[in-house]
mmCIF file of all heavy atoms in Angstrom:
data_model
loop_
_atom_site.group_PDB
_atom_site.id
_atom_site.type_symbol
_atom_site.label_atom_id
_atom_site.label_comp_id
_atom_site.label_asym_id
_atom_site.label_seq_id
_atom_site.Cartn_x
_atom_site.Cartn_y
_atom_site.Cartn_z
ATOM 1 N N GLY A 1155 -13.849 50.174 50.707
ATOM 2 C CA GLY A 1155 -14.483 50.416 52.004
ATOM 3 C C GLY A 1155 -13.476 50.809 53.056
ATOM 4 O O GLY A 1155 -13.695 51.708 53.872
ATOM 5 N N VAL A 1156 -12.316 50.147 53.073
ATOM 6 C CA VAL A 1156 -11.251 50.474 54.004
ATOM 7 C C VAL A 1156 -10.728 51.872 53.727
ATOM 8 O O VAL A 1156 -10.544 52.687 54.624
ATOM 9 C CB VAL A 1156 -10.110 49.441 53.925
ATOM 10 C CG1 VAL A 1156 -8.904 49.897 54.741
ATOM 11 C CG2 VAL A 1156 -10.595 48.075 54.398
ATOM 12 N N ARG A 1157 -10.515 52.182 52.483
ATOM 13 C CA ARG A 1157 -10.001 53.498 52.107
ATOM 14 C C ARG A 1157 -11.003 54.591 52.496
ATOM 15 O O ARG A 1157 -10.605 55.670 52.928
ATOM 16 C CB ARG A 1157 -9.721 53.574 50.608
ATOM 17 C CG ARG A 1157 -9.163 54.905 50.194
ATOM 18 C CD ARG A 1157 -8.834 54.958 48.737
ATOM 19 N NE ARG A 1157 -7.504 54.431 48.554
ATOM 20 C CZ ARG A 1157 -6.938 54.255 47.388
ATOM 21 N NH1 ARG A 1157 -7.599 54.506 46.279
ATOM 22 N NH2 ARG A 1157 -5.724 53.822 47.283
ATOM 23 N N ASP A 1158 -12.299 54.341 52.325
ATOM 24 C CA ASP A 1158 -13.293 55.323 52.731
ATOM 25 C C ASP A 1158 -13.188 55.645 54.198
ATOM 26 O O ASP A 1158 -13.294 56.797 54.591
ATOM 27 C CB ASP A 1158 -14.725 54.792 52.441
ATOM 28 C CG ASP A 1158 -15.136 54.981 50.986
ATOM 29 O OD1 ASP A 1158 -14.495 55.790 50.293
ATOM 30 O OD2 ASP A 1158 -16.097 54.319 50.591
ATOM 31 N N VAL A 1159 -12.986 54.637 55.020
ATOM 32 C CA VAL A 1159 -12.900 54.864 56.465
ATOM 33 C C VAL A 1159 -11.628 55.620 56.811
ATOM 34 O O VAL A 1159 -11.628 56.533 57.624
ATOM 35 C CB VAL A 1159 -12.938 53.517 57.230
ATOM 36 C CG1 VAL A 1159 -12.642 53.717 58.701
ATOM 37 C CG2 VAL A 1159 -14.293 52.846 57.026
ATOM 38 N N VAL A 1160 -10.515 55.256 56.176
ATOM 39 C CA VAL A 1160 -9.210 55.838 56.497
ATOM 40 C C VAL A 1160 -9.059 57.238 55.892
ATOM 41 O O VAL A 1160 -8.717 58.178 56.568
ATOM 42 C CB VAL A 1160 -8.066 54.923 56.015
ATOM 43 C CG1 VAL A 1160 -6.720 55.589 56.229
ATOM 44 C CG2 VAL A 1160 -8.130 53.590 56.761
ATOM 45 N N ALA A 1161 -9.335 57.378 54.602
ATOM 46 C CA ALA A 1161 -9.030 58.626 53.908
ATOM 47 C C ALA A 1161 -10.275 59.492 53.626
ATOM 48 O O ALA A 1161 -10.153 60.628 53.246
ATOM 49 C CB ALA A 1161 -8.311 58.341 52.603
ATOM 50 N N GLY A 1162 -11.452 58.910 53.747
ATOM 51 C CA GLY A 1162 -12.646 59.700 53.513
ATOM 52 C C GLY A 1162 -13.040 59.824 52.057
ATOM 53 O O GLY A 1162 -13.993 60.482 51.717
ATOM 54 N N ARG A 1163 -12.297 59.137 51.159
ATOM 55 C CA ARG A 1163 -12.623 59.251 49.738
ATOM 56 C C ARG A 1163 -12.076 58.019 49.014
ATOM 57 O O ARG A 1163 -11.037 57.511 49.348
ATOM 58 C CB ARG A 1163 -11.993 60.489 49.146
ATOM 59 C CG ARG A 1163 -12.334 60.636 47.690
ATOM 60 C CD ARG A 1163 -11.833 61.917 47.116
ATOM 61 N NE ARG A 1163 -12.175 61.883 45.683
ATOM 62 C CZ ARG A 1163 -11.658 62.671 44.809
ATOM 63 N NH1 ARG A 1163 -10.801 63.576 45.179
ATOM 64 N NH2 ARG A 1163 -12.006 62.573 43.555
ATOM 65 N N THR A 1164 -12.777 57.595 48.001
ATOM 66 C CA THR A 1164 -12.348 56.458 47.203
ATOM 67 C C THR A 1164 -11.826 56.973 45.883
ATOM 68 O O THR A 1164 -12.555 57.091 44.913
ATOM 69 C CB THR A 1164 -13.549 55.493 46.957
ATOM 70 O OG1 THR A 1164 -14.149 55.216 48.204
ATOM 71 C CG2 THR A 1164 -13.089 54.211 46.312
ATOM 72 N N SER A 1165 -10.530 57.254 45.843
ATOM 73 C CA SER A 1165 -9.973 57.826 44.632
ATOM 74 C C SER A 1165 -9.940 56.826 43.485
ATOM 75 O O SER A 1165 -10.052 57.207 42.325
ATOM 76 C CB SER A 1165 -8.565 58.387 44.905
ATOM 77 O OG SER A 1165 -7.710 57.359 45.289
ATOM 78 N N ALA A 1166 -9.786 55.545 43.779
ATOM 79 C CA ALA A 1166 -9.783 54.534 42.708
ATOM 80 C C ALA A 1166 -11.100 54.531 41.970
ATOM 81 O O ALA A 1166 -11.136 54.492 40.737
ATOM 82 C CB ALA A 1166 -9.484 53.147 43.283
ATOM 83 N N TYR A 1167 -12.212 54.568 42.704
ATOM 84 C CA TYR A 1167 -13.528 54.613 42.058
ATOM 85 C C TYR A 1167 -13.743 55.916 41.313
ATOM 86 O O TYR A 1167 -14.276 55.940 40.224
ATOM 87 C CB TYR A 1167 -14.649 54.426 43.075
ATOM 88 C CG TYR A 1167 -15.024 52.997 43.301
ATOM 89 C CD1 TYR A 1167 -15.483 52.575 44.541
ATOM 90 C CD2 TYR A 1167 -14.966 52.041 42.281
ATOM 91 C CE1 TYR A 1167 -15.846 51.271 44.761
ATOM 92 C CE2 TYR A 1167 -15.325 50.739 42.500
ATOM 93 C CZ TYR A 1167 -15.759 50.351 43.727
ATOM 94 O OH TYR A 1167 -16.114 49.062 43.939
ATOM 95 N N ALA A 1168 -13.314 57.021 41.909
ATOM 96 C CA ALA A 1168 -13.462 58.326 41.277
ATOM 97 C C ALA A 1168 -12.729 58.357 39.929
ATOM 98 O O ALA A 1168 -13.252 58.846 38.935
ATOM 99 C CB ALA A 1168 -12.961 59.443 42.165
ATOM 100 N N GLU A 1169 -11.512 57.788 39.904
ATOM 101 C CA GLU A 1169 -10.753 57.749 38.668
ATOM 102 C C GLU A 1169 -11.416 56.843 37.639
ATOM 103 O O GLU A 1169 -11.478 57.180 36.451
ATOM 104 C CB GLU A 1169 -9.337 57.235 38.951
ATOM 105 C CG GLU A 1169 -8.458 58.258 39.637
ATOM 106 C CD GLU A 1169 -7.094 57.713 39.984
ATOM 107 O OE1 GLU A 1169 -6.661 56.699 39.374
ATOM 108 O OE2 GLU A 1169 -6.440 58.293 40.869
ATOM 109 N N GLU A 1170 -11.939 55.698 38.068
ATOM 110 C CA GLU A 1170 -12.629 54.797 37.140
ATOM 111 C C GLU A 1170 -13.893 55.446 36.578
ATOM 112 O O GLU A 1170 -14.181 55.306 35.386
ATOM 113 C CB GLU A 1170 -12.966 53.476 37.820
ATOM 114 C CG GLU A 1170 -11.776 52.563 37.931
ATOM 115 C CD GLU A 1170 -12.148 51.139 38.230
ATOM 116 O OE1 GLU A 1170 -13.039 50.612 37.538
ATOM 117 O OE2 GLU A 1170 -11.574 50.589 39.161
ATOM 118 N N LEU A 1171 -14.642 56.130 37.426
ATOM 119 C CA LEU A 1171 -15.849 56.822 36.941
ATOM 120 C C LEU A 1171 -15.487 57.914 35.955
ATOM 121 O O LEU A 1171 -16.164 58.089 34.943
ATOM 122 C CB LEU A 1171 -16.634 57.413 38.104
ATOM 123 C CG LEU A 1171 -17.521 56.430 38.865
ATOM 124 C CD1 LEU A 1171 -18.109 57.117 40.104
ATOM 125 C CD2 LEU A 1171 -18.640 55.899 37.987
ATOM 126 N N GLU A 1172 -14.441 58.663 36.228
ATOM 127 C CA GLU A 1172 -14.003 59.716 35.312
ATOM 128 C C GLU A 1172 -13.583 59.119 33.972
ATOM 129 O O GLU A 1172 -13.949 59.646 32.909
ATOM 130 C CB GLU A 1172 -12.855 60.522 35.907
ATOM 131 C CG GLU A 1172 -12.405 61.659 35.043
ATOM 132 C CD GLU A 1172 -11.299 62.509 35.642
ATOM 133 O OE1 GLU A 1172 -10.919 62.266 36.807
ATOM 134 O OE2 GLU A 1172 -10.820 63.395 34.935
ATOM 135 N N ASN A 1173 -12.831 58.027 33.998
ATOM 136 C CA ASN A 1173 -12.432 57.365 32.750
ATOM 137 C C ASN A 1173 -13.642 56.868 31.975
ATOM 138 O O ASN A 1173 -13.731 57.032 30.754
ATOM 139 C CB ASN A 1173 -11.482 56.193 33.030
ATOM 140 C CG ASN A 1173 -10.115 56.669 33.465
ATOM 141 O OD1 ASN A 1173 -9.700 57.783 33.183
ATOM 142 N ND2 ASN A 1173 -9.396 55.797 34.172
ATOM 143 N N ALA A 1174 -14.583 56.251 32.664
ATOM 144 C CA ALA A 1174 -15.793 55.748 32.010
ATOM 145 C C ALA A 1174 -16.614 56.876 31.417
ATOM 146 O O ALA A 1174 -17.123 56.773 30.308
ATOM 147 C CB ALA A 1174 -16.639 54.954 32.998
ATOM 148 N N ARG A 1175 -16.720 57.987 32.152
ATOM 149 C CA ARG A 1175 -17.446 59.167 31.630
ATOM 150 C C ARG A 1175 -16.757 59.707 30.381
ATOM 151 O O ARG A 1175 -17.429 60.002 29.390
ATOM 152 C CB ARG A 1175 -17.527 60.251 32.728
ATOM 153 C CG ARG A 1175 -18.289 61.472 32.290
ATOM 154 C CD ARG A 1175 -18.439 62.492 33.404
ATOM 155 N NE ARG A 1175 -17.172 62.929 33.940
ATOM 156 C CZ ARG A 1175 -16.721 62.667 35.173
ATOM 157 N NH1 ARG A 1175 -17.461 61.967 36.012
ATOM 158 N NH2 ARG A 1175 -15.555 63.099 35.590
ATOM 159 N N ASN A 1176 -15.435 59.793 30.395
ATOM 160 C CA ASN A 1176 -14.708 60.295 29.228
ATOM 161 C C ASN A 1176 -14.861 59.367 28.021
ATOM 162 O O ASN A 1176 -14.987 59.852 26.885
ATOM 163 C CB ASN A 1176 -13.221 60.495 29.568
ATOM 164 C CG ASN A 1176 -13.007 61.686 30.463
ATOM 165 O OD1 ASN A 1176 -13.805 62.616 30.493
ATOM 166 N ND2 ASN A 1176 -11.942 61.657 31.227
ATOM 167 N N ILE A 1177 -14.867 58.074 28.255
ATOM 168 C CA ILE A 1177 -15.082 57.119 27.156
ATOM 169 C C ILE A 1177 -16.472 57.314 26.542
ATOM 170 O O ILE A 1177 -16.625 57.369 25.322
ATOM 171 C CB ILE A 1177 -14.895 55.666 27.639
ATOM 172 C CG1 ILE A 1177 -13.425 55.396 27.935
ATOM 173 C CG2 ILE A 1177 -15.439 54.662 26.628
ATOM 174 C CD1 ILE A 1177 -13.160 54.110 28.673
ATOM 175 N N ALA A 1178 -17.496 57.440 27.398
ATOM 176 C CA ALA A 1178 -18.864 57.637 26.907
ATOM 177 C C ALA A 1178 -18.970 58.960 26.141
ATOM 178 O O ALA A 1178 -19.597 59.010 25.064
ATOM 179 C CB ALA A 1178 -19.838 57.603 28.084
ATOM 180 N N LEU A 1179 -18.374 60.027 26.645
ATOM 181 C CA LEU A 1179 -18.416 61.321 25.950
ATOM 182 C C LEU A 1179 -17.686 61.256 24.618
ATOM 183 O O LEU A 1179 -18.171 61.773 23.605
ATOM 184 C CB LEU A 1179 -17.824 62.414 26.838
ATOM 185 C CG LEU A 1179 -18.678 62.861 28.031
ATOM 186 C CD1 LEU A 1179 -17.855 63.754 28.962
ATOM 187 C CD2 LEU A 1179 -19.942 63.562 27.583
#
Side-chain angles (χ1 to χ4, degrees):
V1156 171
R1157 181 178 275 175
D1158 278 343
V1159 172
V1160 174
R1163 182 174 176 195
T1164 309
S1165 63
Y1167 271 148
E1169 287 176 21
E1170 282 196 49
L1171 280 172
E1172 182 177 355
N1173 288 337
R1175 182 176 58 247
N1176 288 335
I1177 289 168
L1179 288 169

